[in-house]
Amino acid sequence: ALPTFPGRRARSPGTMAAEDAPSPPDLTQQLGGFMDRHLLIPLLDFLKVKQMYPANELDEGKLQLLLGTNMVDLAMDIYKEMNSGKAVPKAMTDRREEVLATMQTLNEEVAPVLSLINDAGRVAELRAEKLFNATYLQQQLNITPAQIEVLFRYAKFVYDCGQYEQASFLLEHYRLLCSSPEQAMNALWGKLSCEILLTHWDAALENLMALKDAIESGGSSTPLQQLQQRSWLMHWALFLLGNHPNGRNIVTDLFLQERYLNAIQNNCPHLLRYLAVAVITNPRRRSSLKDLVRVISIERSSYSDPITSFLEELYVSANFDKAQQKLSECAAVIDADFFLCNAEADFVKNARLFIFETYCRIHERIDLKMLASKLGMEEIAAEKWIVKMVSDAQLNAKIDAQSGHVILGMKPADVYQQVIEKTKGLSFRSYVLAQNIEKRTAAAAAATAAAAAAAAVTAE
């Protein structure tokens, strides 16, 4: 169980007093429920830099996280900083001795396996001959399945000590030797966490995709377990959002898949913030905007923030004044979010383009001064920007310098596109209707047969 974040043990963010609540809204509490405690440590450090909470509360939250790991020395250092002049509690020193004793025991138990996997040449030879498996190791090297399971325990132990490079190495070999799909998946989760914490983004993506395949293959997982696993996977994928070169596409592709979008709606609607930013800042994914706005509108009662409200005001309400107001709030939200802080400039640039394009498509004549004010720009700068945007968006428009207006030609609706939109999903709806009719007909026939049978029994 993770500690209440950050140091507010009696209250959740939804019940904080107004003077306590951070502004803009912080999602660390919601995100923490879907992440390993090691992954939360960088988030706490970020919040401390941003000064969103009192430093002593963040230190307390970090200390609580560390006490659930084997990083006892780091926990002791933080305790000393928080309580200068006080001796470290005996419970911490006892815990340190316990960790050292456990390390010694595990080192002895795992020694036969370690001696093999540390021999890279021997491992490569066995893998080439397809002999690097539990059966061969037991028959030829007397390495038992129990010793292989100790390797997993040892990998988890060193992971909890903060030795992520070594843990990743051990888990990679354990996965090759493991015969249990459930344990192999556990090792894959651990390896993904290691690669994230080591900032090996390409390796993290590879493990993320492998985990996705494992989740979707089902195995012995129940639908509820799969829902939870999808929710966890999406949260861990957030680390790729601003760090992997293709992070925005990765997040958009994953989150917009039907099963994952259902998981967002049922289990973690706060992820709509990250999906919205990934779509808005990626011009190639604008075709996904319609589906995104639909889901945001449906989930308004479950989750809303300035970013989701911006899209609603712009595309549902067509309220440009409120959309501009929300846009100014979005910048603060993005800057204060660990996963989005490097996307602020791209978001504002693309959001302005969305405002401009939407406004142009419902007006024939636009005053330059008024449009500049809506975009939050100087008139001359706005005029240059508009010229470029008209060209990029391929709008039928021109600027009348004398009257200071943008004049737009109305493009007639494409008849073929209208037919496609009207008939989209028609075959599926027809199939559902036919199924419902068939069920009702069968139910009516069954009821008639039952009534006839009852009448025959009565007659006898």
Side-chain angles (χ1 to χ4, degrees):
L2 293 173
T4 302
F5 173 80
R8 301 180 185 273
R9 283 179 279 272
R11 296 172 292 174
S12 67
T15 58
M16 286 182 187
E19 64 272 17
D20 293 335
S23 180
D26 170 42
L27 293 180
T28 308
Q29 182 74 61
Q30 291 92 321
L31 298 172
F34 297 90
M35 290 187 180
D36 181 84
R37 62 178 62 241
H38 290 258
L39 296 177
L40 278 176
I41 294 174
L43 274 68
L44 296 184
D45 293 338
F46 174 82
L47 291 178
K48 189 172 183 180
V49 171
K50 290 293 181 180
Q51 300 180 347
M52 291 183 64
Y53 296 92
N56 64 317
E57 294 189 354
L58 290 168
D59 287 338
E60 182 183 348
K62 187 173 181 179
L63 180 60
Q64 290 179 53
L65 286 176
L66 293 173
L67 289 176
T69 72
N70 294 333
M71 295 188 282
V72 186
D73 288 340
L74 182 55
M76 292 171 118
D77 291 341
I78 292 176
Y79 182 87
K80 291 174 184 177
E81 289 178 10
M82 294 173 61
N83 304 275
S84 59
K86 288 188 178 181
V88 173
K90 186 176 183 299
M92 282 191 182
T93 56
D94 290 346
R95 170 65 177 155
R96 187 175 189 278
E97 294 301 319
E98 179 187 344
V99 168
L100 292 174
T102 304
M103 178 179 288
Q104 179 65 30
T105 302
L106 287 174
N107 271 324
E108 293 173 359
E109 293 179 10
V110 82
V113 185
L114 282 183
S115 64
L116 171 63
I117 65 176
N118 285 330
D119 186 346
R122 178 66 171 146
V123 171
E125 180 184 337
L126 290 174
R127 291 186 65 178
E129 296 174 2
K130 298 183 179 180
L131 296 175
F132 193 68
N133 55 66
T135 303
Y136 179 84
L137 296 189
Q138 183 171 14
Q139 292 175 351
Q140 302 297 324
L141 302 176
N142 295 322
I143 295 177
T144 65
Q147 290 174 314
I148 292 174
E149 288 308 308
V150 173
L151 178 64
F152 177 78
R153 286 168 47 208
Y154 183 68
K156 187 177 185 306
F157 181 86
V158 297
Y159 171 82
D160 273 334
C161 290
Q163 299 172 22
Y164 306 122
E165 191 82 53
Q166 185 182 4
S168 176
F169 171 78
L170 297 172
L171 289 170
E172 178 63 30
H173 287 83
Y174 173 78
R175 285 181 58 217
L176 297 172
L177 297 171
C178 176
S179 57
S180 164
E182 183 179 349
Q183 281 294 89
M185 179 175 278
N186 289 336
L188 198 52
W189 280 108
K191 192 162 190 319
L192 174 58
S193 184
C194 289
E195 303 301 349
I196 289 172
L197 291 163
L198 292 167
T199 67
H200 296 165
W201 303 119
D202 287 334
L205 174 59
E206 183 181 340
N207 282 275
L208 185 82
M209 292 298 103
L211 258 176
K212 178 177 175 294
D213 292 341
I215 292 170
E216 298 312 318
S217 66
S220 59
S221 299
T222 65
L224 182 60
Q225 289 172 331
Q226 286 183 305
L227 172 67
Q228 190 68 12
Q229 288 168 348
R230 291 186 188 111
S231 301
W232 275 65
L233 191 68
M234 286 188 287
H235 282 79
W236 292 31
L238 292 178
F239 286 92
L240 299 177
L241 179 60
N243 293 299
H244 194 280
N246 200 32
R248 292 169 187 173
N249 274 325
I250 293 166
V251 167
T252 305
D253 288 338
L254 181 64
F255 286 23
L256 283 177
Q257 291 182 36
E258 183 179 359
R259 292 176 176 178
Y260 288 82
L261 199 55
N262 287 339
I264 290 175
Q265 293 181 262
N266 288 307
N267 217 22
C268 41
H270 53 270
L271 289 183
L272 288 171
R273 170 189 290 188
Y274 304 99
L275 178 56
V277 172
V279 170
I280 290 173
T281 56
N282 190 347
R284 296 180 180 178
R285 304 314 299 263
R286 296 187 63 176
S287 58
S288 307
L289 200 55
K290 185 176 179 180
D291 290 335
L292 173 60
V293 172
R294 176 183 59 82
V295 174
I296 286 174
S297 298
I298 293 171
E299 297 301 320
R300 184 192 306 114
S301 60
S302 301
Y303 179 77
S304 180
D305 66 17
I307 296 171
T308 59
S309 297
F310 165 76
L311 288 175
E312 274 201 285
E313 296 295 350
L314 186 58
Y315 290 106
V316 179
S317 305
N319 189 325
F320 295 95
D321 291 331
K322 283 192 176 180
Q324 177 59 34
Q325 178 187 343
K326 292 296 180 183
L327 179 57
S328 62
E329 297 174 17
C330 288
V333 172
I334 292 172
D335 180 65
D337 192 296
F338 175 82
F339 297 107
L340 301 177
C341 57
N342 60 356
E344 182 181 348
D346 284 345
F347 180 87
V348 172
K349 179 183 73 174
N350 285 282
R352 279 179 174 168
L353 176 59
F354 284 7
I355 293 174
F356 174 70
E357 289 184 358
T358 307
Y359 198 86
C360 287
R361 288 193 168 98
I362 60 176
H363 292 82
E364 293 183 8
R365 194 178 187 88
I366 306 171
D367 183 83
L368 271 174
K369 290 183 180 179
M370 181 274 299
L371 188 55
S373 67
K374 287 190 178 296
L375 295 172
M377 302 172 70
E378 295 290 334
E379 186 176 349
I380 296 176
E383 184 174 341
K384 293 179 180 178
W385 185 83
I386 289 167
V387 169
K388 184 177 184 303
M389 291 303 105
V390 166
S391 175
D392 291 348
Q394 297 182 342
L395 297 172
N396 181 17
K398 64 179 181 179
I399 294 178
D400 186 339
Q402 290 185 345
S403 63
H405 284 81
V406 179
I407 303 171
L408 297 116
M410 298 302 291
K411 185 179 180 180
D414 187 336
V415 175
Y416 298 104
Q417 188 61 36
Q418 289 184 58
V419 172
I420 291 170
E421 290 293 329
K422 294 286 186 183
T423 57
K424 187 183 291 183
L426 185 61
S427 60
F428 176 72
R429 292 198 296 272
S430 300
Y431 170 77
V432 172
L433 181 61
Q435 288 289 99
N436 289 337
I437 293 172
E438 186 178 336
K439 287 179 182 178
R440 291 187 180 185
T441 303
T448 302
V457 170
T458 303
E460 290 176 0

